[in-house]
Amino acid sequence: MSRAYLEAPVSSFLTLAFVLIITGSFLLLPFLIYLAAVPLVFAVASLLVDSPSGVDIERKISKHRCKTGEEVEVSLRVKVEKGLGFVVIREKLPEHFELTEGSNVHILVKGLRKLEKNLTYSFKCTLRGEYVIPPTDVEVIHVLGAREPARFRVGKADTIHVLPLAFSIRRIRLPPSKSKVPLPLSSTSRMGPVTTDFREIREYRYGDPVKFINWKATARRASETPLVNEYEREGRKTVMIVLDATDSMLPGPRIGNPLELGVKVVAGLAHYLSTRSFNVMLVVAGHGIIVPPGTGSEQYVRIVNTLSKVRGVSNKAGLREVLKMSKRWIVECVPLVVLITNVTYSNADEVEEFISSLAAYYRASTRKARVPLIIIDISPYVEVAAEYKHRELLLAYSQYAKKSLHSRLRRQGAVTIRWDVGRTRFGQVAASLLRLIR
C-alpha cells in the first residue's frame, strides 16, 4: 500500500473540513462549522479502520472425475476475521466449463462482526481433458476507499479429470452371414496365458519362445526353419483400435469434430469389447501413444484415462510411425485392426501405405494375403457444408470424393464404413460394425 494512496482521501476530508470552517467563520454561519465535523470524523476513521483481512476460503468440489456434460457442484466456505469493507471473490473457470447454476463471482460486505458465508455454484464441462481450477482470486476494498485495494489468492488448485462420453454399443440380433473380415473375432487370441492344450506344429515365427521349438520334428523334416509346438491360449481375439489424431481430424465444430467423435467411438468400442473378454489395444496416431493389449474393466479404465489426456491434434508420429511402434504386438497377437479416421485426399496415400505395411506384417506372421482391417471414416462435411451458400454442391463433391477414396482403400483389402455426421446416426454405423465383429 502506497503512502500517497493513503494520504489522498485523508487530505480530501481535511481540505473539505477546513473550507467549511473558514466559510462558516467568514459568513457567520455556525452550521457550516458544525458540518465540518463530518469530514473530520471520516478522516480519522480512514486512519484508524483497516481493510478486511484474515481471509480464509475452503473449497469443496463434489467430484474430481466426471464425464463430458456431467454437472459438478462447488461449495465455498468464506471467513473474514478483521477490518471493514468489501470482499470480492472470483473463481476462474477453464475455457470449456459452462456455469449451470449460481455465479463464480461474489461481492461480500464485511461489517463489525466476523464474516462467515457459504457460497455454491455449479458447472459442466463440454470437452474431455484434464483441467485445473486455480486458487480463488480475492480483492479487499476499504469501506471508505481510503486504502489501496489488495489482490491475492487463497486456497489451493484443484484438478478435474473430464472423461469422454462413450457411444453406447449394444449387441443386436443379426441374420447369419459370412463376415468380410478375413480373421473372425471368435478365434482364440495369441495373447494371454498359454494352456496345456496342444493345437498344432507350425514353422517358427518371429517372437516365438525358444522353449516351444520341437527339435525332433525339425530334424525329421530336415527343415531350415525350426518347427514349434503351438498351444491354445486363454482369451479371445485381440483388437487393435487406431485413432487418427492428426490434422485430418480437425474439420467441423470444436466439440463435434471428427477427433472428438472418434474419441467417443473408441471409448464405446473399448467398453463393448473389453466386457466381452476381447483383448483391446489402443494406438493414437499423431501423439504416438500406445496402450498395450489387455481386457476387463481395468483395461477400459486405462484406455479412457488415456483418451482424456489427448488434447488436440499432433503430427509427432503419423500412421506409418505408430505402425512400426506397434509391430511387436501385431506379430505376436495377429489382431483385427480398426482404424478411425477422416479419409481425405491429403491423407489417402498415408492410409494406403498403412494398409500395405500392415499387410506385410500379416504375411510374415500368418502367410495370409488379406488384411483384417476395418476403417471407420468419420465425415463431418454435412455439418461443414451447412455454413456455406452452395451447400448442395459441396455435399455432392464430398460424396463423390469419399466414394472414390473408399474404392481405392477397398482395392487394398480394407473394409470401410462411412459415417456422415449429421445425416447418419451412429447406431447405423454400430450395426455395420457389429456385422463384422462376431
Side-chain angles (χ1 to χ4, degrees), residues 5-6 8-10 13 46 51 84-86 141-149:
Y5 192 98
L6 174 61
V10 177
F13 290 137
S46 300
S51 299
L84 293 174
F86 305 95
I141 303 173
H142 191 270
V143 65
L144 299 176
R147 300 176 186 270
E148 184 177 6

Side-chain angles (χ1 to χ4, degrees), residues 360-375:
Y361 291 157
Y362 272 93
R363 282 194 296 269
S365 180
T366 65
R367 311 297 182 186
K368 293 185 178 181
R370 287 196 62 189
V371 183
L373 172 64
I374 302 173
I375 299 178

Side-chain angles (χ1 to χ4, degrees), residues 223-287:
S223 175
E224 295 182 358
T225 304
L227 301 179
V228 297
N229 296 330
E230 184 170 359
Y231 300 90
E232 298 289 353
R233 291 180 179 256
E234 295 180 0
R236 300 182 68 182
K237 192 64 190 173
T238 299
V239 181
M240 185 173 78
I241 306 175
V242 182
L243 174 63
D244 187 0
T246 58
D247 293 338
S248 61
M249 303 291 277
L250 277 180
R254 179 72 175 88
I255 300 176
N257 58 29
L259 177 59
E260 296 303 322
L261 295 174
V263 168
K264 295 180 179 180
V265 174
V266 172
L269 186 58
H271 181 268
Y272 177 85
L273 296 173
S274 61
T275 55
R276 287 165 174 79
S277 301
F278 290 106
N279 291 310
V280 186
M281 173 182 177
L282 173 65
V283 178
V284 182
H287 294 270

Side-chain angles (χ1 to χ4, degrees), residues 397-411:
Y397 172 77
S398 66
Q399 297 290 334
Y400 172 80
K402 288 290 186 181
K403 186 176 180 180
S404 174
L405 292 171
H406 281 224
S407 298
R408 287 173 53 182
L409 299 180
R410 290 193 185 103
R411 284 195 294 268

Side-chain angles (χ1 to χ4, degrees), residues 1-9:
M1 179 178 60
S2 64
R3 183 179 180 84
Y5 192 98
L6 174 61
E7 293 177 349

